[in-house]
């Protein structure tokens, strides 16, 4: 959950809170791109009897820019509806749910998906069922098999899944938000005059927590400009920018007569997510709600936050003496062109390596940029491009990418030499991490890639 | 957003629509304004008041509820939310009447 509860307003609206976004060339179908947008973050698996679901009153969208103007050229739209089959029961289910036809399954959710491209909206699927939440060995006895029923083929090579998954994101939230007290470096922290803490391994805050995922896998040609298959990684048509949004109707009135809400008016965006952790740690608190409601095309208005990231300025203060070169660079007030390139424009050809680029032009827009012509790595590194693996973040994002460490190191100066040859990254940069190793539930090797959610019965303490 | 005049709103647009709720906010200083809601079942203002100022025939539909929002009655701008649309009406007379009704209903 790289963007969970990240802004004041959306933190009160979890069903519309975009938590993570992934976009990658599918390792088992390299002619197809998989995009996963997670919502409803930080689910305690035993949170019944009203287990988690998408918002029936929320419009979820996955958006793709293939022209570099910061606006969507292709949009996938998802709308949900819920129903009760046993309204007289308080239970989510009154017996084992062994298939989607089970009469024991009370609270169900269905959805429709469409694709808007070239000004035309095409219905791809309707009345598609979400799987139930993973309740426990009596209620959902063979969950992997049950959930696999919720992977639908939409024709033309497209697949879709919407429902509960194990969170794939790993982060030590407790340490990061306790004044950046990264446990592996705790002995170096300034501690504000308080007693020193001992260095320790990180604590995975999201282990055993679940999310609700909207996953779609489509041919590369669904996403590229003109529907072309790029000729190679340096083909300008090879890079797409991806983000997800959630919207609600503008007006809501409680209708006492019908004992329900009446929603009306145009959809207004209340949540968005492109690159991980941006609205979390780059955008300041006073601007976070506005960022969630705005479009990537207007992100030049937020550029100052990327050019002089607050966290980059804090690191030398929190860890005195560990980042002298970064402190000196910060003192010049020079904009961080590396951070702007990684997050707002993409990386031009030749900056990382002669055969790599994911540059979309001068328009500054926070999008997850993916060069679809770069094939999946045979030996992927969770550190992505920083780890020498150009098939990973910030070239798209795979489910296992360690985006916390990648971004912490980038902000600490690891990527600054790419644009300023006179800058030498501090020795401590390679030690910057929140100290986790991807110890979440096992990822799947096939769509939808995120792991089987932890069941309520088997809930464990991290 | 669509822009309509008073006559269009009272005839063409609202035909077939039921006014289920009208929410109004008032200029600063009007203590009761922010929460003023002219909803059928709270008796704040009877629907007939609206019919007096418009026409009875304008609100006889049943298809979709309409929510009206007046951010500043003195501007005369009324936002109408219906289905997935927003219609903006400029009518200081209606805005003033709704604001007055909202004050009385407080």
């Amino acid at each position: 959950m790289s963007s969970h509860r990240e802004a004041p307003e959306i933190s009160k609206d979890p069903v519309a809170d975009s938590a993570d976004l992934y976009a990658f060339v599918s390792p088992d179908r390299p002619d197809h791109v998989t995009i996963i947008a997670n919502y409803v973050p930080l689910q305690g698996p035993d949170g019944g009897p009203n287990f988690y679901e998408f918002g029936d009153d929320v419009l979820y969208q996955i958006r793709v820019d293939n022209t570099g103007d910061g606006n969507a050229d292709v949009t996938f739209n998802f709308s949900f509806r819920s129903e009760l089959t046993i309204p007289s029961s308080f239970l989510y289910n009154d017996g084992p749910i062994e298939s989607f036809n089970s009469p024991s399954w009370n609270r169900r959710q269905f959805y429709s998906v469409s694709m808007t491209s070239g000004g035309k909206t095409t219905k791809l699927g309707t009345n598609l069922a979400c799987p139930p939440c993973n309740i426990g060995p009596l209620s959902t006895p063979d969950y992997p098999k049950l959930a696999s029923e919720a992977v639908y083929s939409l024709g033309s090579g497209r697949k879709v899944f919407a429902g509960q998954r194990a969170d794939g994101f790993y982060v030590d939230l407790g340490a990061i938000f306790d004044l950046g007290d990264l446990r592996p470096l705790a002995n170096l922290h300034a501690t504000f005059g308080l007693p020193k803490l001992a260095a320790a391994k990180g604590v995975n805050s999201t282990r055993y927590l679940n999310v609700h995922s909207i996953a779609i896998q489509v041919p590369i040609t669904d996403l590229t400009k003109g529907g072309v298959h790029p000729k190679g990684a340096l083909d300008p048509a090879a890079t797409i920018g991806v983000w997800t949004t959630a919207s609600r109707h503008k007006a809501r009135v409680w209708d006492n007569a019908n004992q329900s809400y009446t929603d009306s008016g145009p959809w207004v965006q209340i949540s968005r997510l492109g690159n991980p952790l941006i609205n979390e740690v780059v955008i300041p608190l006073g601007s976070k709600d506005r960022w969630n409601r705005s479009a990537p095309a207007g992100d030049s208005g937020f550029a100052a936050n990327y050019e002089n990231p607050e966290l980059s300025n804090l690191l030398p203060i929190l860890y005195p003496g560990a980042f002298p070169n970064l402190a000196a660079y910060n003192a010049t007030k020079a904009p961080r062109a590396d951070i702007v390139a990684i997050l707002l424009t993409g990386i031009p050809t030749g900056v990382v390596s002669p055969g790599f680029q994911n540059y979309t032009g001068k328009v500054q827009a926070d999008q997850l940029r993916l060069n679809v012509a770069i094939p999946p790595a045979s030996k992927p590194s969770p550190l992505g491009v920083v780890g020498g693996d150009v098939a990973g973040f910030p070239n798209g994002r795979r489910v296992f990418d360690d985006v916390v460490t990648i971004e912490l190191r980038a902000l600490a100066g690891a990527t600054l030499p790419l644009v300023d040859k006179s800058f030498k990254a501090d020795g401590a940069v390679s030690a910057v991490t929140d100290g986790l190793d991807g110890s979440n539930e096992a990822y799947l090797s096939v769509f939808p890639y995120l792991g089987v959610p932890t069941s309520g019965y088997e809930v464990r303490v991290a | 957003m669509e822009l309509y005049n008073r006559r269009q709103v009272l005839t063409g647009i609202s035909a077939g629509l039921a006014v289920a709720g009208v929410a109004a906010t008032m200029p600063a200083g009007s203590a009761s304004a922010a929460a003023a809601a002219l909803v059928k079942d709270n008796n704040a203002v009877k629907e007939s008041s609206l019919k007096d100022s418009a026409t009875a025939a304008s609100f006889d539909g049943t298809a979709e509820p309409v929510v009206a929002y007046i951010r500043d009655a003195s501007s005369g701008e009324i936002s109408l939310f219906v289905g997935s649309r927003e219609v903006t009406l400029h009518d200081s007379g209606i805005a003033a009447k709704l604001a007055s009704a909202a004050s009385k209903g407080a």
Side-chain angles (χ1 to χ4, degrees):
Chain A
M1 280 157 278
S2 65
S3 184
H4 66 291
R5 297 177 52 78
E6 87 288 352
E9 283 304 315
I10 202 64
S11 66
K12 302 162 199 160
D13 190 1
V15 298
D17 185 0
S18 54
D20 276 288
L21 176 69
Y22 305 94
F24 52 90
V25 176
S26 311
D28 53 333
R29 294 179 86 195
D31 283 344
H32 292 70
V33 167
T34 299
I35 304 173
I36 308 171
N38 286 350
Y39 285 85
V40 205
L42 297 170
Q43 298 176 16
D46 51 351
N50 292 291
F51 287 95
Y52 306 89
E53 59 190 22
F54 294 101
D56 288 356
D57 47 4
V58 176
L59 171 63
Y60 300 91
Q61 293 177 303
I62 290 171
R63 296 168 173 270
V64 178
D65 173 14
N66 59 30
T67 54
D69 64 357
N71 296 307
D73 301 292
V74 180
T75 300
F76 296 94
N77 313 287
F78 298 82
S79 299
F80 293 81
R81 68 174 177 83
S82 302
E83 63 180 45
L84 294 174
T85 55
I86 324 166
S88 58
S89 174
F90 80 91
L91 291 163
Y92 187 82
N93 55 296
D94 64 1
I97 305 171
E98 291 169 325
S99 77
F100 282 12
N101 296 322
S102 168
S104 301
W105 184 11
N106 192 2
R107 179 74 176 182
R108 302 164 187 242
Q109 194 162 43
F110 302 87
Y111 66 101
S112 62
V113 53
S114 64
M115 178 172 76
T116 303
S117 180
K120 183 181 162 196
T121 297
T122 307
K123 201 174 282 185
L124 300 181
T126 56
N127 288 319
L128 307 174
C130 299
C133 288
N134 194 1
I135 311 299
L138 299 185
S139 294
T140 45
D142 187 352
Y143 195 83
K145 178 175 174 294
L146 190 62
S148 70
E149 287 185 41
V151 174
Y152 292 96
S153 173
L154 300 173
S156 303
R158 304 179 184 117
K159 290 182 184 178
V160 69
F161 169 91
Q164 193 180 46
R165 290 283 91 190
D167 194 358
F169 178 58
Y170 43 100
V171 61
D172 189 343
L173 288 172
I176 286 175
F177 292 121
D178 185 28
L179 295 169
D181 192 8
L182 302 169
R183 290 179 219 262
L185 307 176
N187 56 319
L188 302 177
H189 198 283
T191 66
F192 301 92
L194 295 166
K196 286 279 182 190
L197 299 170
K201 284 187 68 175
V203 173
N204 186 351
S205 304
T206 55
R207 192 174 188 187
Y208 308 131
L209 298 182
N210 299 326
V211 293
H212 263 52
S213 301
I214 296 170
I216 191 159
Q217 187 175 80
V218 297
I220 284 173
T221 49
D222 271 1
L223 305 177
T224 51
K225 182 182 179 184
V228 301
H229 208 296
K231 296 184 181 78
L234 301 185
D235 185 338
T239 300
I240 57 171
V242 184
W243 71 105
T244 183
T245 60
S247 302
R248 287 189 176 280
H249 283 292
K250 200 165 183 179
R252 161 170 275 205
V253 172
W254 175 253
D255 185 338
N256 212 39
N258 290 328
Q259 287 290 293
S260 64
Y261 286 104
T262 292
D263 294 315
S264 55
W267 293 102
V268 287
Q269 180 186 311
I270 56 173
S271 179
R272 75 153 155 147
L273 177 57
N275 285 298
L277 297 162
I278 300 311
N279 206 20
E280 192 115 355
V281 300
V282 171
I283 306 300
L285 200 51
S287 302
K288 287 173 183 287
D289 291 335
R290 183 165 58 87
W291 194 90
N292 265 341
R293 292 171 194 273
S294 59
D299 278 344
S300 59
F302 296 99
N305 304 118
Y306 296 76
E307 290 169 349
N308 290 289
E310 185 178 7
L311 192 53
S312 296
N313 287 305
L314 283 174
L315 281 170
I317 298 167
L318 295 175
Y319 297 94
F323 301 101
N325 296 346
L326 178 64
Y329 191 89
N330 289 343
T332 69
K333 308 283 186 195
R336 289 289 300 271
D338 57 325
I339 302 299
V340 171
I342 290 168
L343 301 172
L344 290 179
T345 63
I347 302 169
T349 303
V351 172
V352 169
S353 66
F356 174 77
Q357 62 88 21
N358 65 355
Y359 183 65
T360 53
K362 290 182 178 174
V363 174
Q364 294 180 326
D366 191 300
Q367 300 171 345
L368 190 55
R369 287 176 174 79
L370 174 66
N371 186 321
V372 298
I374 293 178
S378 54
K379 291 182 181 174
S381 164
L383 293 179
V385 174
V386 172
D389 173 8
V390 294
F393 183 78
N395 183 35
R397 180 184 171 193
R398 300 164 298 194
V399 291
F400 50 80
D401 281 342
D402 186 356
V403 293
V404 173
T405 297
I406 294 169
E407 288 196 358
L408 282 174
R409 290 185 183 176
L411 291 169
T415 51
L416 189 46
L418 294 174
V419 297
D420 184 345
K421 303 296 180 195
S422 67
F423 180 82
K424 186 174 185 302
D426 293 297
V429 167
S430 58
V432 172
T433 176
D434 61 345
L436 301 175
D437 57 3
S439 53
N440 288 39
E441 294 299 296
Y443 302 106
L444 306 183
S445 59
V446 296
F447 185 82
Y449 303 103
L450 288 173
V452 175
T454 300
S455 85
Y457 185 82
E458 294 160 320
V459 67
R460 288 159 285 186
V461 177
Chain B
M1 186 184 298
E2 298 161 77
L3 294 172
Y4 292 90
N5 61 31
R6 173 189 173 116
R7 180 169 176 77
Q8 285 173 309
V9 169
L10 298 185
T11 56
I13 296 170
S14 57
L17 306 179
V19 176
V22 179
T25 58
M26 306 279 287
S30 180
S32 62
L38 313 186
V39 183
K40 276 182 183 175
D41 56 8
N42 71 3
N43 293 320
V45 170
K46 294 189 184 302
E47 198 177 42
S48 59
S49 302
L50 292 172
K51 290 179 179 175
D52 290 345
S53 65
T55 60
S58 301
F59 299 102
D60 60 358
T62 55
E64 289 179 287
V66 176
V67 174
Y69 178 70
I70 305 173
R71 182 178 177 80
D72 176 359
S74 66
S75 73
E77 183 174 304
I78 306 170
S79 299
L80 302 175
F81 303 117
V82 54
S84 291
R85 293 181 298 126
E86 178 175 355
V87 179
T88 301
L89 164 68
H90 291 276
D91 190 314
S92 14
I94 292 179
K97 254 182 192 176
L98 290 171
S100 170
S103 297
K104 288 173 191 164

